Amino acid sequence: DAGVIQSPRHEVTEMGQEVTLRCKPISGHDYLFWYRQTMMRGLELLIYFNNNVPIDDSGMPEDRFSAKMPNASFSTLKIQPSEPRDSAVYFCASKQGGWHEQYFGPGTRLTVT
Amino acid sequence: ILNVEQSPQSLHVQEGDSTNFTCSFPSSNFYALHWYRWETAKSPEALFVMTLNGDEKKKGRISATLNTKEGYSYLYIKGSQPEDSATYLCASSSNTGKLIFGQGTTLQVKP
């Protein structure tokens, strides 16, 4: 298995632009998590899905952030409009129900200027 | 303890030294405790998942213990090597799989 796949790996955009981050979980995993890594707050959970359904989005910073999972093999995290304070590394992780271990993707480093 | 807390924040040791870090977590509603190893520019890699009080796990020179009653876990590295340099994260999870991470301990091993 290729592991969790994220794209793009790096994204540089201007303030006010829309940003879409993509994630493909490991095949067969029914949980998908989106995390954000910043120096100030460390690694924090934004939202997670079970069987494509959002279960807990309490970590989503504000209405500018939205996430979807249209099918079991694809999820997006969208920021519209983006702001400089959104600059961070965004990780996607997946796991199989009944198992504890989460597998992380390589992350997307987002820079908003 | 309401959050997952790790200490120390950073650690510098010489090659060959043994070292250990601490993770404190809420003992109420505990489900599992995770240790991850995170190298710069890479993704976090799972080291251990522990669920039972008294659990001890070992992988090569790295081992971990768990005390769920008092809410702490220790990670030990025996005979540190430069390739052990990384940030070590612990996380507490609920039965939903949601992970709450600590801020990590960054280890630097000097040759």
Side-chain angles (χ1 to χ4, degrees), chain A:
Chain A
D1 199 313
V4 177
I5 299 172
Q6 290 187 247
S7 65
R9 294 293 306 276
H10 301 273
E11 176 81 29
V12 181
T13 191
E14 291 184 349
M15 177 177 167
Q17 296 298 306
E18 177 179 294
V19 175
T20 299
L21 312 181
R22 297 173 176 79
C23 175
K24 177 179 167 52
I26 292 173
S27 177
H29 285 191
D30 51 353
Y31 283 81
L32 184 140
F33 304 81
W34 281 102
Y35 293 90
R36 179 171 68 175
Q37 163 71 18
T38 61
M39 289 293 292
M40 290 294 293
R41 300 172 68 90
L43 194 59
E44 54 180 345
L45 178 68
L46 299 177
I47 185 171
Y48 79 93
F49 296 83
N50 178 218
N51 291 321
N52 314 336
V53 177
I55 302 299
D56 186 342
D57 65 354
S58 58
M60 294 286 262
E62 48 197 272
D63 292 346
R64 296 185 298 106
F65 285 69
S66 63
K68 294 182 179 179
M69 192 164 186
N71 57 63
S73 59
F74 184 65
S75 176
T76 59
L77 178 68
K78 187 175 292 186
I79 308 173
Q80 166 64 18
S82 58
E83 297 182 2
R85 61 192 167 121
D86 301 331
S87 297
V89 181
Y90 291 81
F91 286 100
C92 175
S94 70
K95 86 175 190 80
Q96 190 171 352
W99 295 88
H100 296 287
E101 195 167 299
Q102 291 187 21
Y103 294 84
F104 281 75
T108 295
R109 181 172 294 279
L110 173 66
T111 303
V112 183
T113 60

Side-chain angles (χ1 to χ4, degrees), chain B residues 83-101:
Chain B
E83 57 264 32
D84 295 330
S85 298
T87 296
Y88 291 84
L89 295 168
C90 81
S92 177
S93 66
S94 64
N95 58 358
T96 61
K98 180 176 176 178
L99 292 179
I100 306 297
F101 281 90

Side-chain angles (χ1 to χ4, degrees), chain B residues 25-33 50-52 66 68 92-94:
Chain B
F25 56 88
S27 53
S28 59
N29 297 319
F30 171 81
Y31 191 67
L33 192 284
M50 295 179 288
T51 58
L52 299 176
L66 178 66
T68 61
S92 177
S93 66
S94 64

